[in-house]
Amino acid sequence: MYSPKFPLKIEDLRKVIGATRLKIVWKTQVRDAMRKQPIPDPLENLDFHVRLDANCAAIEAEICSASYAPRQPLRFLAEKSKGLCRQLVVPTAKDALVLQALSITIWNEIKLQARSKKSFYAPADHGFSKAIKGHTAEYGSLSAWLAFQQTIFGFASTKNFLVVTDIANYYDFISYEHLRNILASLSVVKEHALDLLIYTLSSMLWRKSPMNISSLFSQTGHR
Amino acid sequence: MAKISDEHFFSILANWASLRPTLLQWWQENASPALKLNLLTQILQDGHLVDDASIVEIANALVAARLPDSFWVRGHIKEILSGLSSSSIWSLYAQIWVASKYASNDELMSIIETKTSMWGSNEHLTRLVAGMAPRFIQSSLQQKFEATLRRAAGFAASSVTQFHHELSNTVEGYTAIRKFIEAPNTSLPNRISHAKFLMLLSLLRNTGIAPVAAAKLKTIHAVALTDPFYVHLVP
């Protein structure tokens, strides 16, 4: 069952997750990215690729009939250093495609709202990284880095101290509700695309299994 | 190619998580990867690896490398396979992936049969097991493999099973992936990924493909077809 106004939103949603657009996103971004995941797929998702037309049409139909439900993603631990691990989540090919299509749409609008033209959010946003087809974007040479630093901070000379900060863990603690409110307040995104993004991401959140919850209660005396 | 001592190799593998993929890539491209196989066996058994990604990365490197078919290599592969048979999902994933290249049909079938409850409840593992179909096509274990899949696998297996069925039985299956299968993976020692090799196996069992096309595939992937462990698998 869906809300009475859902049919009104469908046309806007089609612009984001329409079959034609999904095909382009798969071919230009998602297929290659899925092949680079640490856990290899035994078919390199070729079964999805050879039936791309039908798969994209099916995704569009599922979303537009409000019957789309993300599948359980892959979860595995990857060591960062010194035995500390990060949990990585890899969606299925179909869900990755939906997420990427939504993400591109939202990103294209959000980046126009950047406070400064000197804001760079990924190596590929600036010329100091050399993009090589089939490889992950990596940082470029030292001179390219210095040129990049000159652009942002206005200096490229040697300093006695270098402070390195890592805000990667911060992302794990952003509440989706809060994120949604901020994005919606920018008034740049069609809210139903944002709703679909949050719905898809929320479905992939790690949750304790009922078994774990009951054992937790038994340990703390709460039943 | 740079030389890395055994001591440094093990130390990097054990203590520098971010360098593992690069080191394993160096290892698989090395002229004599078998010489350091004992170090991979050791690290898989001594508790240094605390994550899932490293185990699968090592399995990936093992199936990508060209190892000689020797007593030394077979001994270590056997040790690796038995060491991976834990109750962890990703250990099982790595075990099946390594076995898909180095184990006999009976050994591979045995792993699949004894772990049905584990892979049957995980979509990605189910896809992996279904992806072993080319190892059993036209073998005495084909019926048993298909029956096990029907019994234990959910819908996740159907797409993979159908895909391999089309590759091994129809011309359309070959035509659909012709460009993909003919493109070599030049950065890999065998110039083909292991996943793609399994697809090639299915295609080479397809009697509907024109002999010229089959011969062309064999020419393109001539390097892989001389891998000492792939040689045993090719019809």
Side-chain angles (χ1 to χ4, degrees):
Chain A
M1 180 174 285
Y2 42 82
S3 71
K5 288 192 175 177
F6 182 76
L8 301 175
K9 300 174 181 176
I10 290 175
E11 285 317 306
D12 278 333
L13 267 179
R14 270 190 219 282
K15 290 175 192 162
V16 181
I17 49 79
T20 311
R21 188 156 187 278
L22 288 177
K23 275 170 62 180
I24 295 168
V25 174
W26 172 261
K27 286 180 181 173
T28 55
Q29 295 191 350
V30 180
R31 186 186 179 201
D32 202 32
M34 293 301 286
R35 287 172 75 181
K36 286 185 215 151
Q37 297 306 317
I39 309 287
D41 182 81
L43 297 183
E44 297 184 4
N45 290 302
L46 211 57
D47 53 337
F48 188 89
H49 182 72
V50 296
R51 300 183 187 94
L52 189 58
D53 288 346
N55 282 326
C56 290
I59 294 172
E60 181 185 334
E62 276 181 36
I63 292 174
C64 292
S65 62
S67 60
Y68 168 70
R71 308 252 344 126
Q72 194 66 27
L74 285 181
R75 286 179 201 287
F76 57 93
L77 296 178
E79 186 183 352
K80 290 172 66 182
S81 69
K82 297 182 173 66
L84 295 174
C85 294
R86 171 177 287 158
Q87 187 180 152
L88 298 182
V89 178
V90 180
T92 61
K94 174 182 165 184
D95 297 332
L97 181 53
V98 172
L99 277 175
Q100 189 62 33
L102 290 167
S103 155
I104 291 171
T105 302
I106 294 170
W107 172 243
N108 283 343
E109 296 185 23
I110 288 176
K111 71 179 176 188
L112 300 175
Q113 304 287 316
R115 299 290 172 92
S116 161
K117 288 186 178 175
K118 291 182 180 178
S119 303
F120 304 107
Y121 300 94
D125 288 349
H126 189 275
F128 79 87
S129 68
K130 190 178 176 184
I132 302 171
K133 194 174 177 346
H135 293 268
T136 313
E138 288 181 357
Y139 294 103
S141 64
L142 181 61
S143 58
W145 167 258
L146 290 173
F148 171 67
Q149 184 164 306
Q150 180 71 47
T151 309
I152 303 178
F153 300 120
F155 74 89
S157 53
T158 307
K159 300 287 178 185
N160 290 333
F161 297 98
L162 175 68
V163 178
V164 178
T165 57
D166 180 359
I167 59 165
N169 289 336
Y170 169 68
Y171 295 110
D172 296 341
F173 295 93
I174 297 173
S175 111
Y176 287 161
E177 196 180 343
H178 192 51
L179 176 68
R180 189 198 176 287
N181 289 341
I182 289 175
L183 293 178
S185 70
L186 291 173
S187 304
V188 292
V189 185
K190 294 284 184 190
E191 285 205 38
H192 24 278
L194 203 49
D195 285 339
L196 182 57
L197 177 74
I198 299 295
Y199 163 73
T200 309
L201 289 174
S202 301
S203 308
M204 293 176 187
L205 283 177
W206 180 80
R207 291 183 177 87
K208 276 190 170 168
S209 73
M211 296 287 282
N212 288 344
I213 290 171
S214 75
S215 67
L216 180 71
F217 284 162
S218 63
Q219 281 169 10
T220 54
H222 296 93
R223 277 211 178 262
Chain B
M1 184 171 278
K3 284 186 180 173
I4 300 177
S5 69
D6 283 3
E7 191 186 347
H8 285 140
F9 184 86
F10 190 84
S11 172
I12 296 170
L13 210 51
N15 304 315
W16 292 73
S18 57
L19 287 180
R20 272 178 207 142
T22 311
L23 187 72
L24 288 168
Q25 195 174 352
W26 172 87
W27 172 77
Q28 73 192 33
E29 288 168 7
N30 195 295
S32 309
L35 296 179
K36 290 192 185 332
L37 192 55
N38 56 321
L39 301 175
L40 294 185
T41 311
Q42 189 184 335
I43 202 152
L44 283 169
Q45 293 175 341
D46 68 3
H48 267 103
L49 301 180
V50 295
D51 62 335
D52 309 311
S54 297
I55 294 170
V56 178
E57 276 164 7
I58 291 178
N60 276 336
L62 282 167
V63 297
R66 279 176 73 90
L67 293 168
D69 189 355
S70 64
F71 182 73
W72 163 266
V73 169
R74 283 192 177 269
H76 278 290
I77 293 291
K78 195 175 175 185
E79 248 186 276
I80 287 170
L81 285 173
S82 62
L84 285 171
S85 58
S86 72
S87 56
S88 145
I89 288 279
W90 298 116
S91 283
L92 177 60
Y93 190 98
Q95 188 188 36
I96 294 172
W97 200 228
V98 173
S100 68
K101 178 171 181 182
Y102 295 103
S104 67
N105 279 3
D106 287 330
E107 289 165 336
L108 182 58
M109 191 67 221
S110 168
I111 297 170
I112 291 170
E113 262 189 312
T114 53
K115 302 283 183 182
T116 46
S117 59
M118 273 179 81
W119 59 259
S121 57
N122 181 293
E123 185 172 334
H124 203 72
L125 265 170
T126 301
R127 280 179 64 84
L128 178 73
V129 172
M132 297 300 112
R135 288 291 312 267
F136 300 107
I137 292 170
Q138 294 165 12
S139 82
S140 57
L141 290 170
Q142 183 172 0
Q143 282 190 331
K144 191 178 184 181
F145 173 73
E146 289 171 353
T148 308
L149 265 187
R150 273 197 300 275
R151 196 174 59 249
F155 75 94
S158 60
S159 176
V160 181
T161 308
Q162 188 190 344
F163 183 79
H164 275 297
H165 177 79
E166 285 169 7
L167 290 191
S168 56
N169 291 288
T170 69
V171 177
E172 290 76 19
Y174 163 63
T175 313
I177 68 158
R178 190 172 59 80
K179 278 186 185 171
F180 169 82
I181 203 79
E182 286 182 358
N185 303 114
T186 50
S187 62
L188 294 171
N190 274 323
R191 298 173 65 81
I192 190 170
S193 67
H194 184 54
K196 196 190 272 192
F197 178 82
L198 292 173
M199 294 177 222
L200 180 67
L201 265 189
S202 278
L203 284 174
L204 292 178
R205 293 205 163 91
N206 186 341
T207 50
I209 297 177
V212 180
K216 186 180 176 189
L217 285 176
K218 286 185 174 177
T219 307
I220 291 169
H221 298 297
V223 176
L225 297 178
T226 57
D227 179 298
F229 284 90
Y230 281 158
V231 162
H232 301 302
L233 308 178
V234 178

